[in-house]
Amino acid sequence: MIIVLERQIRDDHKQRIRSFLEEHGFRVREIVGEEETIFGAVGHLTIDHREVEVLPGVVRVIPISKPFKLASRELKREDTIVPVRDVKIGSGRVAVIAGPCSVESSEVMYETAEIVKRSGAVMLRGGAFKPRTSPYAFQGSGEAGLKLLRDVGDYYGMPVASEIVSPEHYAMMREYVDVLQIGTRNMQNYELLKVVGAGGRPVILKRGLAATIQEWLMAAEYLLAHGSEHVILCERGIRTFETSTRNTLDISAIPVVKKLTHLPIIVDPSHATGIREKVSPVALASVAAGADGLIVEVHPRPEQALSDGPQTLFPDQFERLMRDIEALCPVVEKELARLPEKGEQRPQFSGFDAGEHVSVAFQGEPGAYSEIALRRFFQSDAVSSQPCSEFRDVFDAVLEGRTRYGILPLENSLSGSIHENYDLLLQYPDLRIVGEIKIRIIHSLIAVPGAGLGDIERVYSHPQGFAQCARFLGEHPNWQQVPFYDTAGSVAHIARQGDKRCAAIAGSEAARAHGMHPLKEGIETNPQNYTRFVVLVREEHARIADPDRASIVFTTPDTPGSLFSCMRVIAERNLNMKKLESRPILGKPWQPMFYLDMEIPSLAAFEDAYAALATVAENLRLLGTYRVQ
Ligand code: PEP
Ligand code: MN
């Protein structure tokens, strides 16, 4: 069951609820969500829900209808992100794991790691204990292989994944491996699941070759129920009557699983097809269908591989596949995950420790594009989002310390700058920009569950939502368009109305946030619709290592060539200008002020330019030095 706790619950009340549940045989998991904190309680005993509901601090108790509890989306609405060293799997990124089927010689392992890293893989795979169908086939190189895998991973700065086949190997394997893989043949090896779950290492759980999705999720539930929080599901093909490929990739499992569970899902196109030529098309299809990553077999000389050579990619095939995935990612609103460069600042900034909860203010209702942007930017479960009704409230929340960060849209690729926010940036000199992210805007027509296109008579959205979906709306001339203050707010509105005749235009995240249903996705006329967001913080938290972008604002003296003098400072230092925009100054008609963004090779180079600008520009102000994601 799900126990929703009061927002400002007292610690002693929280502790009492936890103890009560544990005394009644429940395992309790605290989940800090965007809007509320909940306890997920699972156990074999049943209890009258009212006994929990009356405890102080409890808002309500909701039973979970699915047999898998901890794995279900009912328990946790947000996507789980599995952190593996510097790599994050789930939610908005496509992470590619690659390497040979089995760990082979040191020469092959170093060579493979070099190849797959150069092409963009973020994790190295290699089996050291191979569950082979034939007892006469190569069984793997055991602990020596794991040690080698670890050494190669460390050398290239890549986390490593390897299969565990027996509970007895756990203690030894955790010394070497970042992600343990549970293979298809062991998906229902419950003793293995219990031990691996209790250990807490991230796990790739492959789907059994004759397992239903429900059985697979029940296996994930074993891992979660025994303590693991970090489970990655892996679809690797199932056994069907078809013999043209080694297995049959169940591609529809991807969207099905995404709806049922918050856990990330990756695809193994190598074992799914068993044939090298089929691997890339199937891998691309998996990304298109929403997979959070891939695990692919690659070898410098596949014809010499000790196992699974026929399904293993040549280096150039893998390189080509990675380029194709990179091109495909924006179409499906994803980014290709990459390893941070040496010394590269991670998006969490300094002072944002693992396990620390930080809050981020955004404007709009739950599910708004700003909220999607902040989830992508922070890529962490430890971030909670605080909705605000006005942009100004976002600034105030950060300034007054109610949230650590705030996120704001500054510019849209189709409609241009959001001037209100540029003006607000000037009014809050104690805040700085510390990050930037662009997201693709995909609009959906959203209605109450059960409504069809034929039921719709009235559509609510922000005027920009209507303008950006003009072609689709033109196909439905009889619909009345009712303007609303924001897109996600219009979804909240139709949810309150509960009327089948009403629809809203917003992102499908907003549909999920308000229990509504996207009737048609991707209805925007122009797919090149991106919004650029910036992350704000109070000045004292603003210093990040290795910024690559700076934003400043200034005016120029009313003399010939004054703007040119400023540009010369930037040009002479070889800084790449990304944007220059003039804005009228409030109360001073015809005196423009300039907003300027530039790429900076280092903070020192920027500081030098800034000092020089101060001698030629007037009213020079720093908006921030930051990293672009
Ligand atoms: C593997 O990934 O090496 C493997 C054996 O996969 P599966 O368990 O899917 O057959
Ligand atoms: Mn293999």
Side-chain angles (χ1 to χ4, degrees), residues 507-615:
S508 34
E509 290 281 329
R512 209 195 288 159
H514 297 282
M516 296 286 99
H517 177 64
L519 272 184
K520 197 158 170 49
E521 298 188 291
I523 58 170
E524 68 281 357
T525 312
N526 187 338
Q528 302 288 339
N529 186 354
Y530 294 88
T531 296
R532 173 178 165 242
F533 292 84
V534 290
V535 177
L536 297 178
V537 74
R538 281 180 66 100
E539 191 192 351
E540 60 265 31
H541 302 301
R543 277 191 86 82
I544 63 155
D546 295 327
D548 57 11
R549 188 67 56 97
S551 293
I552 56 172
V553 61
F554 57 92
T555 61
T556 53
D558 193 9
T559 53
S562 59
L563 180 60
F564 176 74
S565 313
C566 298
M567 299 295 94
R568 187 163 53 203
V569 167
I570 293 165
E572 279 172 352
R573 282 161 185 77
N574 222 8
L575 302 176
N576 189 21
M577 206 164 79
K578 300 300 282 185
K579 172 174 174 155
L580 176 67
E581 181 161 348
S582 68
R583 290 274 302 136
I585 306 175
L586 239 85
K588 292 188 184 168
W590 319 121
Q591 286 190 35
M593 113 182 297
F594 296 96
Y595 284 87
L596 191 152
D597 294 346
M598 64 190 118
E599 265 173 4
I600 54 170
S602 67
L603 192 58
F606 169 69
E607 281 171 349
D608 171 53
Y610 193 77
L613 272 172
T615 64

Side-chain angles (χ1 to χ4, degrees), residues 76-307:
K76 185 165 177 268
R77 187 164 68 77
E78 295 101 36
D79 290 340
T80 285
I81 298 165
V82 175
V84 186
R85 297 192 175 215
D86 285 340
V87 174
K88 297 207 163 88
I89 299 187
S91 186
R93 300 227 164 151
V94 175
V96 179
I97 305 166
C101 177
S102 319
V103 177
E104 300 192 4
S105 66
S106 159
E107 183 197 344
V108 166
M109 291 314 291
Y110 278 96
E111 219 179 319
T112 312
E114 169 89 39
I115 289 163
V116 299
K117 183 175 179 182
R118 195 179 335 115
S119 296
V122 291
M123 208 186 296
L124 188 62
R125 65 149 287 154
F129 294 94
K130 298 300 301 177
R132 304 301 297 278
T133 309
S134 162
Y136 308 116
F138 175 59
Q139 302 287 304
S141 47
E143 187 170 354
L146 293 176
K147 188 169 179 328
L148 173 61
L149 184 67
R150 172 82 275 153
D151 287 347
V152 178
D154 286 347
Y155 184 81
Y156 286 99
M158 296 174 93
V160 299
S162 197
E163 177 167 354
I164 180 164
V165 293
S166 160
E168 284 104 70
H169 292 164
Y170 184 80
M172 178 273 291
M173 285 193 73
R174 65 169 298 147
E175 297 298 314
Y176 303 110
V177 178
D178 300 300
V179 181
L180 290 157
Q181 180 176 314
I182 293 187
T184 199
R185 296 159 190 82
N186 274 313
M187 186 202 84
Q188 283 177 315
N189 181 341
Y190 297 117
E191 293 313 309
L192 181 62
L193 294 173
K194 286 183 201 170
V195 169
V196 173
R201 268 285 133 102
V203 192
I204 293 174
L205 177 65
K206 289 199 152 188
R207 179 176 180 183
L209 51 81
T212 63
I213 289 175
Q214 176 147 325
E215 285 161 347
W216 185 19
L217 293 177
M218 290 308 288
E221 187 75 11
Y222 258 89
L223 291 165
L224 298 169
H226 284 84
S228 179
E229 285 182 39
H230 297 136
V231 178
I232 302 158
L233 298 164
C234 178
E235 163 63 44
R236 46 79 70 203
I238 47 176
R239 176 81 43 103
T240 67
F241 52 82
E242 181 53 65
T243 53
S244 321
T245 46
R246 183 172 172 180
N247 291 290
T248 302
L249 180 72
D250 181 6
I251 200 142
S252 54
I254 303 164
V256 170
V257 159
K258 286 224 159 275
K259 196 162 176 108
L260 292 174
T261 177
H262 49 88
L263 298 171
I265 174 170
I266 63 170
V267 169
D268 174 345
S270 311
H271 293 88
T273 60
I275 309 160
R276 185 178 305 129
E277 264 56 51
K278 309 281 183 281
V279 168
S280 294
V282 159
L284 288 168
S286 306
V287 174
D292 297 299
L294 297 167
I295 180 163
V296 187
E297 288 180 344
V298 182
H299 191 289
R301 291 164 292 283
E303 65 285 8
Q304 293 170 15
L306 295 181
S307 53

Side-chain angles (χ1 to χ4, degrees), residues 34-73:
E34 292 159 25
E35 291 139 68
E36 54 201 15
T37 298
I38 62 168
F39 277 160
V42 288
H44 19 260
L45 303 175
T46 48
I47 189 172
D48 185 337
H49 288 171
R50 285 169 302 182
E51 285 192 51
V52 184
E53 217 143 26
V54 295
L55 296 175
V58 173
V59 178
R60 61 185 186 282
V61 176
I62 310 164
I64 303 175
S65 61
K66 303 279 187 310
F68 42 91
K69 311 285 180 195
L70 295 170
S72 87
R73 272 250 189 239

Side-chain angles (χ1 to χ4, degrees), residues 311-515:
Q311 67 190 33
T312 298
L313 293 187
F314 284 97
D316 60 338
Q317 288 178 309
F318 182 64
E319 166 69 20
R320 171 83 207 271
L321 171 63
M322 291 303 289
R323 297 291 73 82
D324 287 347
I325 294 171
E326 200 167 7
L328 176 61
C329 276
V331 179
V332 289
E333 258 204 302
K334 293 224 165 129
E335 262 180 81
L336 189 60
R338 61 189 183 95
L339 284 169
E341 301 288 326
K342 265 207 170 73
E344 190 177 0
Q345 179 68 20
R346 293 175 51 183
Q348 284 92 339
F349 315 110
S350 37
F352 176 4
D353 299 327
E356 187 188 355
H357 283 278
V358 295
S359 52
V360 187
F362 71 98
Q363 186 276 330
E365 297 272 347
Y369 291 111
S370 292
E371 195 186 23
I372 299 170
L374 80 85
R375 294 261 150 240
R376 299 249 173 93
F377 181 85
F378 287 95
Q379 294 277 321
S380 166
D381 273 351
V383 164
S384 62
S385 48
Q386 298 287 322
C388 298
S389 37
E390 307 287 335
F391 287 132
R392 183 181 283 283
D393 301 336
V394 173
F395 284 83
D396 286 335
V398 182
L399 184 70
E400 291 158 17
R402 277 178 278 122
T403 62
R404 171 87 73 91
Y405 299 106
I407 193 157
L408 280 178
L410 271 193
E411 198 179 350
N412 176 269
S413 56
L414 301 179
S415 50
S417 292
I418 298 160
H419 292 130
E420 180 182 352
N421 286 337
Y422 273 108
D423 292 341
L424 282 164
L425 278 173
L426 283 190
Q427 293 170 33
Y428 287 79
D430 293 335
L431 304 190
R432 290 276 185 279
I433 299 173
V434 276
E436 174 189 313
I437 188 164
K438 286 193 191 70
I439 66 162
R440 184 172 154 206
I441 304 295
I442 299 186
H443 290 307
S444 296
L445 184 76
I446 294 165
V448 297
L453 272 182
D455 295 317
I456 305 305
E457 292 176 11
R458 227 174 8 261
V459 188
Y460 296 82
S461 192
H462 188 277
Q464 266 195 8
F466 291 134
Q468 293 178 354
C469 302
R471 190 162 65 201
F472 172 76
L473 289 168
E475 293 163 16
H476 303 278
N478 296 331
W479 291 353
Q480 186 196 349
Q481 295 174 22
V482 187
F484 218 76
Y485 63 92
D486 79 12
T487 54
S490 67
V491 179
H493 179 72
I494 64 156
R496 280 192 299 272
Q497 289 203 320
D499 184 341
K500 277 189 173 180
R501 290 170 303 174
C502 298
I505 293 178
S508 34
E509 290 281 329
R512 209 195 288 159
H514 297 282

